[in-house]
């Protein structure tokens, strides 16, 4: 089979794949999900075997970094079987990194096994260190459970990056506490600019928008921030916090200043391939997966889709923000 690496029409190699393995989550973060979500029927979802085939096909075509996300990936039944199976590509050296983005609720249970499988780093989403605020923003979550999970991750030797959605009037007052806590714990920290989705009133939404430019300016009042050249091909920029070696990232998901180096694509839990974070064009990979046990049609569908990867995206973010139009797939920025 044709295994030439995937290169898009703008000469960008596709080396990073993010895969959502479920639409379900045990939290209901207000900016992300409605409290009473209608989840997809099981038959719509890719099975663990189909997910494995799909990831393996991309790895065969040059993907070096695979990030598993959701929903909450660790609530999918038997997900460890999937991780264990995909880790064969780490053993073979074809895959350089297998990682996941999680809300941390199940890490106390799974961290040792994830580490044993060969996962080195994980992203854990955490917006506040205050138990009452945590319960309010996640609706169903408990902070102590996540802190236990983080402890287990640390004990298992996993490197942790905390992802924090910047929310005006919610975690503004915790900015320095979060930085200090991550420093003490040895966690990297990345702030994510909130995108206009999820179930909240429009007024609340506008109230909560806290541009990362402002957040960064506030940090700079206290710390010397040194820009790091390190880029991942994604929408994150990193700084080091003067003297401490601590790294802080900023993800502005809808900015398009990273398109020229974009190396990534994403797949939803129903097998739709999105070639760009900021555009709606997508390709159905579930049909070719299910139509044949051989991968030839699947690979052809992947190549055809990559040949449509756009040069970049250019959002009128303020308009989208006001109209609250952002499509759901864009929420999965855990990056
Ligand atoms: N359940 C996992 C988790 O909590 O990280 C993975 C999926 S979650 C959708 C991935 C990331 O997207 C989380 O860091 C979450 O905070 C972020 N996210 C969700 N909705 C968002 C929004 N409206 N704006 C910005 N980030 C959002």
């Amino acid at each position: 089979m044709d295994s030439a690496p995937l290169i898009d029409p703008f000469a960008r190699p596709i080396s990073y794949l993010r895969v959502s393995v479920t639409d379900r989550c045990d939290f209901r973060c207000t900016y992300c999900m409605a409290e009473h979500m209608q989840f997809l029927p099981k038959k719509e979802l890719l099975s663990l075997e189909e997910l494995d085939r799909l990831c393996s096909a991309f790895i065969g075509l040059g993907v070096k970094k695979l990030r598993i996300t959701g929903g909450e990936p660790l609530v999918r039944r038997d997900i460890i079987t999937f991780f264990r199976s995909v880790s064969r590509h780490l053993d073979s050296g074809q895959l350089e990194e297998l990682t996941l983005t999680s809300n941390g609720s199940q890490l106390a249970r799974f961290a040792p096994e994830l580490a044993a499988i060969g996962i080195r780093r994980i992203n854990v989403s955490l917006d506040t260190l205050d138990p009452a605020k945590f319960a309010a923003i996640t609706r169903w979550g408990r902070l102590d459970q996540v802190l236990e999970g983080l402890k287990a991750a640390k004990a298992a030797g996993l490197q942790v990056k905390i992802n924090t959605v910047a929310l005006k009037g919610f975690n503004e007052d915790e900015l320095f506490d979060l930085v200090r806590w991550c420093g003490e714990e040895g966690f990297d920290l990345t702030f994510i600019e909130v995108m206009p989705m999820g179930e909240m009133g429009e007024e609340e939404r506008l109230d909560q928008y806290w541009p990362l430019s402002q957040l960064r300016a506030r940090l700079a009042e206290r710390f010397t921030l040194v820009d790091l050249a390190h880029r991942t091909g994604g929408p994150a920029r990193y700084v080091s916090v003067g003297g401490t070696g601590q790294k802080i990232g900023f993800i502005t998901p809808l900015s398009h200043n990273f398109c020229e180096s974009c190396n990534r694509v994403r797949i939803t839990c129903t097998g739709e391939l999105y070639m760009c974070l900021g555009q709606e064009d997508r390709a159905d990979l579930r049909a070719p997966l299910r139509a044949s046990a051989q991968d030839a049609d699947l690979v052809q569908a992947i190549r055809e889709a990559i040949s449509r990867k756009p040069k970049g995206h250019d959002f009128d973010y303020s308009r989208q923000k006001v109209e609250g139009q952002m499509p759901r797939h864009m929420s999965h920025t855990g990056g």
Side-chain angles (χ1 to χ4, degrees), residues 31-32 69-72 101-103 125 165 193-195 331-334:
Y31 50 76
C32 184
T69 181
E72 170 50 39
T101 300
S102 168
N103 65 23
S125 305
V165 178
E193 199 161 75
V194 71
M195 289 190 290
S331 72
H332 302 162
T333 56

Side-chain angles (χ1 to χ4, degrees), residues 263-308:
N263 57 0
R264 50 192 62 201
V265 291
R266 65 183 57 230
I267 297 179
T268 67
C269 57
T270 57
E272 284 192 307
L273 173 66
Y274 282 83
M275 287 75 86
C276 171
L277 174 74
Q279 294 195 14
E280 275 296 277
D281 188 24
R282 56 190 182 270
D284 173 26
L285 298 181
R286 190 178 61 190
L289 254 179
R290 291 190 176 169
S292 162
Q294 308 302 316
D295 285 346
D297 291 352
L298 173 65
V299 167
Q300 200 188 336
I302 294 171
R303 286 199 188 284
E304 195 282 321
I306 298 301
S307 76
R308 303 203 311 261

Side-chain angles (χ1 to χ4, degrees), residues 63-83:
V63 160
K64 300 281 178 229
K65 180 165 173 178
L66 181 61
R67 176 174 295 282
I68 304 304
T69 181
E72 170 50 39
L74 297 180
V75 300
R76 173 127 191 202
R77 189 191 298 257
D78 269 347
I79 194 66
I80 287 293
T81 311
F82 166 81
F83 277 113

Side-chain angles (χ1 to χ4, degrees), residues 74 80 83 100 107 110-120 122 158:
L74 297 180
I80 287 293
F83 277 113
L100 74 153
L107 273 178
F110 290 126
E113 204 156 0
L114 292 170
I117 283 168
I119 290 175
R120 297 281 162 261
I122 54 168
L158 293 169

Side-chain angles (χ1 to χ4, degrees), residues 51 57 67 105 134 190-191 217 244 294 303 326:
L51 283 164
R67 176 174 295 282
S105 71
F134 186 88
T190 292
F191 291 101
T244 65
Q294 308 302 316
R303 286 199 188 284
M326 210 53 56

